[in-house]
Amino acid sequence: DGARIERDQAKDFIQQSLIKSRKKPSKELEEKSRLLKENPELYQLYKDLVVGNIITAEEFWANRSNVLTSPSNQSIGVSPEFLNQYLRRIRKAFGSSDQDGQSVASSNAQLLQQFNHQSYVILHSGEKRNSEKDQNESVTTNDKKKIKLREAVSYDELQGKDASVGSKLALKNTQVYAQGPTAPMQDTTMLSHSDIEAASSDLQSQLKDWSANLVQCISSEAACKAVNDLSPNGALMKSVLQVNLTQSVNQSLQDDLKKHYFALAELLRHFWSCFPVQTKGLEEKVERMANAILKYKSSNLHRFRISLNDEHSHLADHLLEMINIAIQKYKGWQDRQRNIRVK
C-alpha cells in the first residue's frame, strides 16, 4: 500500500509538472500576427481568402515564408528544466534512508534506475527522430530540385496526347544529323569564272538604272505633322476627353477594386504555379485552386459587380477576363486528363 501511494504521488507530480512545463507555441504564430497587424492590406486579404473559406491558412502563408523573420518548425514539448525538477523531487521525497530502512532504499534505487532508463529512451528516440528528419529533408530537397528542373524544361502545352518516350537514336554519322537534310541540286553544272563576272555585271547595270516609285507616299514633313496632330493634346485630339481613374472613381470604390485585385492575384498565383501539372500533389492543388477561383467569382466578385452602377460596370471586366482565362486553362487540362485515362 505504501509503495502504491508513493507511485500515485509520483504519477500525479509528473502530470502536473508536464502541464506547467509545456512550452509556448513557436514564435511563428506571433510573427504572422504581427505581420497582419502592421499590414492592413495583408490583413484584409487574409480575411477575404482565409476567413472567407476560399483557401486555407497554410496555402495563404505558403508564398510568404520569406517575410517571416523567425520561422520555427520545432514541435511543442517540455522544458529541459522539467527533468531536473523531476529528479530533485524524487530525491527529496524518496531519498531519505531512515524512513523505512533497507526497503525504502531498495525502492528508491529501483525508481531511480527506471527513471534513468526512461531518460535514455527519450533522448535516444529524440536523436533518432532528428536523424530521420534530416534524411527526409535531404531526400525532399533533392526531389524538389528534380521537380523544378523538369518543370523548367517541359511544357504541358507542347506535349502531344500520344507523347511517349521513344527509343534512343543510333546515329552512324552525327554530322549529317546535325546539319539536317539537304535538297538535291537540280543542275550540277559548274559555273565558270566568266559566267560569274557576266552575271555580276548584268546585276550592276540593272541597279544603276533603278529608282524608287514613291508617288503615293507623303513627304517626311507631312508625316511628322500628322503624328503630332494625332498625339495627345494635338490639333486633332482637342475634343477627346481624357479622364483619370482617380478623378472619376471615388476613394471607397478604388479601395474595393484594389482589394479584389489583391485577392484574385493571390488565387491566380497559386493556380498558375501548378503548371505544368506533373505530380499528384499538383493535381490536387490545381483542382482546389480552380474551385477556389470559381467560389470567389460567384461570391465576392459577384457582390462587387452588383454594387457597381452602369457608369462603373466596366471596372470588373478585367477581373472576369483573368478568371475566364484561368478556368479555360483548367478545363483544357481536365480534357487532357480524361483522354489519358480513356487510353
Side-chain angles (χ1 to χ4, degrees), residues 229-243:
D229 292 343
L230 294 173
S231 300
N233 299 324
L236 300 178
M237 303 296 290
K238 295 295 185 182
S239 61
V240 178
L241 181 62
Q242 296 180 357
V243 180

Side-chain angles (χ1 to χ4, degrees), residues 203-217:
L203 178 61
Q204 290 179 0
S205 62
Q206 292 181 12
L207 293 176
K208 184 178 180 180
D209 298 333
W210 179 85
S211 60
N213 185 10
L214 302 177
V215 294
Q216 297 181 351
C217 298

Side-chain angles (χ1 to χ4, degrees), residues 32-311:
K32 292 177 180 179
S33 177
R34 182 187 65 80
L35 288 174
L36 293 177
K37 290 180 181 179
E38 294 179 354
N39 193 333
E41 295 178 352
L42 185 65
Y43 176 65
Q44 182 64 46
L45 186 62
Y46 186 87
K47 289 199 303 182
D48 293 337
L49 298 182
V50 180
V51 181
N53 294 323
I54 303 296
I55 60 176
T56 63
E58 290 76 11
E59 291 170 339
F60 179 82
W61 293 108
N63 291 340
R64 293 176 172 81
S65 58
N66 58 328
V67 299
L68 299 176
T69 58
S70 58
S72 176
N73 297 325
Q74 185 175 359
S75 58
I76 299 175
V78 296
S79 172
E81 289 296 324
F82 168 73
L83 296 178
N84 297 329
Q85 295 175 5
Y86 183 29
L87 185 58
R88 288 197 299 268
R89 182 64 180 269
I90 290 175
R91 290 176 176 174
K92 181 178 180 180
F94 311 109
S96 177
S97 60
D98 57 356
Q99 293 179 0
D100 291 322
Q102 297 296 330
S103 61
V104 175
S106 177
S107 177
N108 292 344
Q110 292 178 359
L111 184 60
L112 289 174
Q113 183 178 4
Q114 183 179 3
F115 169 75
N116 292 334
H117 175 72
Q118 291 177 349
S119 300
Y120 171 78
V121 172
I122 292 173
L123 292 175
H124 182 69
S125 62
E127 293 175 356
K128 184 177 180 181
R129 284 196 301 268
N130 292 335
S131 178
E132 292 177 353
K133 182 180 178 182
D134 293 339
Q135 293 178 359
N136 293 335
E137 289 180 352
S138 178
V139 174
T140 303
T141 303
N142 293 334
D143 293 340
K144 289 181 178 179
K145 290 180 179 179
K146 292 179 181 179
I147 293 174
K148 289 184 178 180
L149 181 59
R150 285 198 299 268
E151 292 177 353
V153 299
S154 61
Y155 296 90
D156 190 44
E157 294 82 353
L158 302 181
Q159 295 180 358
K161 297 180 179 180
D162 298 329
S164 59
V165 179
S167 58
K168 294 184 178 180
L169 293 176
L171 301 177
K172 296 181 178 179
N173 190 340
T174 57
Q175 185 176 3
V176 175
Y177 175 78
Q179 293 178 352
T182 57
M185 297 181 62
Q186 300 295 331
D187 188 5
T188 58
T189 304
M190 298 295 294
L191 295 177
S192 63
H193 183 69
S194 59
D195 293 334
I196 296 175
E197 288 183 348
S200 177
S201 176
D202 183 57
L203 178 61
Q204 290 179 0
S205 62
Q206 292 181 12
L207 293 176
K208 184 178 180 180
D209 298 333
W210 179 85
S211 60
N213 185 10
L214 302 177
V215 294
Q216 297 181 351
C217 298
I218 62 176
S219 62
S220 58
E221 292 79 5
C224 292
K225 185 177 183 303
V227 171
N228 293 331
D229 292 343
L230 294 173
S231 300
N233 299 324
L236 300 178
M237 303 296 290
K238 295 295 185 182
S239 61
V240 178
L241 181 62
Q242 296 180 357
V243 180
N244 196 332
L245 183 63
T246 58
Q247 300 175 357
S248 61
V249 178
N250 58 54
Q251 186 62 42
S252 176
L253 184 54
Q254 291 182 38
D255 294 338
D256 288 343
L257 184 62
K258 185 178 181 180
K259 179 186 69 174
H260 286 288
Y261 266 102
F262 281 165
L264 186 58
E266 180 71 15
L267 294 176
L268 293 176
R269 185 185 302 111
H270 282 282
F271 175 80
W272 289 111
S273 66
C274 297
F275 293 93
V277 184
Q278 295 180 336
T279 63
K280 186 65 176 178
L282 289 177
E283 289 181 5
E284 296 175 354
K285 183 177 180 180
V286 74
E287 291 177 355
R288 291 199 311 272
M289 289 300 105
N291 293 331
I293 292 173
L294 290 175
K295 183 178 180 180
Y296 187 85
K297 176 184 177 182
S298 61
S299 57
N300 302 49
L301 190 57
H302 179 69
R303 291 193 297 269
F304 176 67
R305 293 180 63 195
I306 293 177
S307 65
L308 297 175
N309 53 32
D310 295 338
E311 181 184 0

